Amino acid sequence: MTSLKLQSPRGYGPVAPLEPKRHGGMGLRPRQDYRWAASLNALPISASEFFKAGLDYPIAFVRQENSREYTPVVVTGLSESQNLFVDAEGHWRPQTYVPAYVRRFPFCIAPVPGKEKGSSARPLICVQEDQLVADSPRPLFDRNGAPTPAWKPLLGLLEAMEGAHQQTRVLCQRLEALDLLVPFEALATPRQGKPQRLQGLFRLDEERLAQVQGRDLRTMMKKGELRAAYSHLNSLENFGRLLDLSQVGAE
């Protein structure tokens, strides 16, 4: 199992499969520190997060280089390697929604190809092991590998994210099929310094969205996709908030 080549999510260090017996008696480091995400200027989110996340961040879409699929992200900075929501001590900005991608750290789920040809990939829970400590007062598993109450909410979060992943893929595929996504460039013009451009982003075309009719519109309404679409459009106003936060840091 440990010989698998696992790709770490952005911001993570090396990850390994979570093995209850081997990791028995181990728990998470007591101090929550978000400095691992301080250089991430965009974080993936699921469709179910659009409403809450859109209150604090701009939501945009990016296109994956390999699969060419669209993925929604919250934009957290106006330049490369900038996250305006993590301070120097590793604290997340107070009274701000923390995306599930951040809350699940140091865990993730990696797809592992099935042994038989043509079989689908199976999910494998992984962990960044340097975030675990031995002889923890709140171990995730006991010495026999049985889960403890401390593991239950973490497992619930990972399972919820895995379930939301497919829902989010369906949303993005529908938006692409309806030709609703268009490229755009976010331009931030500070009071001092050079303008900053964020490229490679996509957004919904509001005029095209308003023209969706019939079965497609009913499907989007029934599945909550229309609410997500307008949460995304409303969230774009938060690019102004990013500019304000960047100016506070520069003063």
Side-chain angles (χ1 to χ4, degrees), residues 87-166:
D87 65 21
E89 286 72 42
H91 302 135
W92 204 270
R93 182 170 290 275
Q95 307 302 316
T96 304
Y97 177 74
V98 182
Y101 182 90
V102 176
R103 286 183 277 122
R104 74 173 182 179
F105 181 81
F107 302 98
C108 65
I109 292 184
V112 178
K115 295 182 179 180
E116 297 181 6
K117 186 176 181 180
S119 60
S120 59
R122 56 185 176 85
L124 176 68
I125 297 178
C126 299
V127 62
Q128 183 175 317
E129 292 182 298
D130 63 5
Q131 297 301 307
L132 299 177
V133 292
D135 301 319
S136 171
R138 297 188 73 246
L140 303 176
F141 303 92
D142 64 24
R143 296 294 181 180
N144 296 318
T148 70
W151 173 240
K152 185 176 180 179
L154 294 169
L155 177 61
L157 174 61
L158 290 167
E159 290 177 340
M161 289 183 66
E162 189 70 7
H165 176 69
Q166 183 58 31

Side-chain angles (χ1 to χ4, degrees), residues 66-84:
N66 296 331
S67 66
R68 305 304 295 165
E69 291 186 354
Y70 289 98
T71 301
V73 297
V74 289
V75 182
T76 57
L78 293 171
S79 61
E80 195 72 25
S81 302
Q82 178 192 60
N83 186 338
L84 294 167

